[in-house]
Amino acid sequence: MVLYTKWEALATQDRSEKEYEKFWQDYFALEEGVYDYLLSNNVSNLEGTVSDLATKFQLDSVIFTGFLDGINTSLVTELDVKSLEEDSLLTLEIDFEKLYYNMLDAKANWLYNLPSWNGILTEERRKEITKDYNKAQIVVKDKKIGRNDPCPCGSGQKYKKCCINK
């Protein structure tokens, strides 16, 4: 069975609410440890097999696949996570600015507030990324066309006499 399928089965397994919360709390703690290591040591490139990298971070391969699924959109070249096997060779190049943005998007405050970000991105740069993220979340509505405004189709007539009835 492919690792991603095992990860999906594990992550979506039926659990009581308490078990569900414990599973994700434990997973997020493991994930935080991996990110803290990567940021603290300014590791932007990782190479090795899935099982070797999982062992390096003291995770089993299925949990590590969940981590890879989470970081995938922050990589310079995304992985085909769904086809990974234990012996799949990985070359991961992390784009830290994209990673920070994606952590904001995931509302993962336990990750984007890690003190180890200080050695990677300046506080000013993190504020800029946060500002860009917040700007992207603002919904801008198109200006409403009034009945007596010129019709946007370019006919020269008032909107109420032209396209409002179409």
Side-chain angles (χ1 to χ4, degrees), residues 32-101:
E32 182 178 345
V34 175
Y35 280 119
D36 193 40
Y37 173 86
L38 295 173
L39 297 171
S40 296
N41 296 296
N42 198 2
V43 177
S44 61
N45 292 307
L46 283 173
E47 289 187 22
T49 64
V50 172
S51 60
D52 290 343
L53 291 173
T55 302
K56 176 179 180 155
F57 294 111
Q58 299 173 352
L59 303 173
D60 70 36
S61 295
V62 174
I63 297 291
F64 188 67
T65 302
F67 169 79
L68 292 173
D69 187 36
I71 198 172
N72 200 24
T73 57
S74 302
L75 299 175
V76 173
T77 304
E78 289 189 29
L79 301 170
D80 180 10
V81 181
K82 294 182 178 184
S83 68
L84 293 178
E85 298 285 348
E86 296 266 348
D87 59 350
S88 298
L89 186 60
L90 302 176
T91 302
L92 311 176
E93 186 179 352
I94 303 167
D95 180 338
F96 286 120
E97 290 189 3
K98 201 188 295 187
L99 178 62
Y100 190 81
Y101 186 94

Side-chain angles (χ1 to χ4, degrees), residues 2-159:
V2 179
L3 290 171
Y4 185 78
T5 306
K6 291 179 182 179
W7 164 248
E8 275 188 322
L10 180 63
T12 60
Q13 177 180 333
D14 283 338
R15 300 177 170 86
S16 70
E17 188 175 331
K18 189 175 180 180
E19 290 170 330
Y20 176 85
E21 288 177 19
K22 177 156 178 30
F23 171 79
W24 286 107
Q25 188 176 30
D26 292 346
Y27 172 77
F28 291 148
L30 295 170
E31 180 185 50
E32 182 178 345
V34 175
Y35 280 119
D36 193 40
Y37 173 86
L38 295 173
L39 297 171
S40 296
N41 296 296
N42 198 2
V43 177
S44 61
N45 292 307
L46 283 173
E47 289 187 22
T49 64
V50 172
S51 60
D52 290 343
L53 291 173
T55 302
K56 176 179 180 155
F57 294 111
Q58 299 173 352
L59 303 173
D60 70 36
S61 295
V62 174
I63 297 291
F64 188 67
T65 302
F67 169 79
L68 292 173
D69 187 36
I71 198 172
N72 200 24
T73 57
S74 302
L75 299 175
V76 173
T77 304
E78 289 189 29
L79 301 170
D80 180 10
V81 181
K82 294 182 178 184
S83 68
L84 293 178
E85 298 285 348
E86 296 266 348
D87 59 350
S88 298
L89 186 60
L90 302 176
T91 302
L92 311 176
E93 186 179 352
I94 303 167
D95 180 338
F96 286 120
E97 290 189 3
K98 201 188 295 187
L99 178 62
Y100 190 81
Y101 186 94
N102 289 338
M103 287 177 174
L104 289 169
D105 192 37
K107 296 171 182 38
N109 61 330
W110 65 95
L111 296 176
Y112 65 77
N113 286 325
L114 284 170
S116 45
W117 274 108
N118 294 332
I120 303 295
L121 299 173
T122 64
E123 186 173 342
E124 182 180 285
R125 183 63 189 134
R126 286 179 296 191
K127 285 181 181 178
E128 288 173 16
I129 294 170
T130 302
K131 185 177 177 181
D132 290 343
Y133 168 75
N134 289 335
K135 202 183 291 185
Q137 302 309 305
I138 296 172
V139 176
V140 179
K141 293 183 180 178
D142 291 335
K143 182 182 173 207
K144 186 174 178 180
I145 303 168
R147 291 173 36 86
N148 290 316
D149 290 341
C151 191
C153 75
S155 67
Q157 295 181 1
K158 289 184 178 182
Y159 184 57

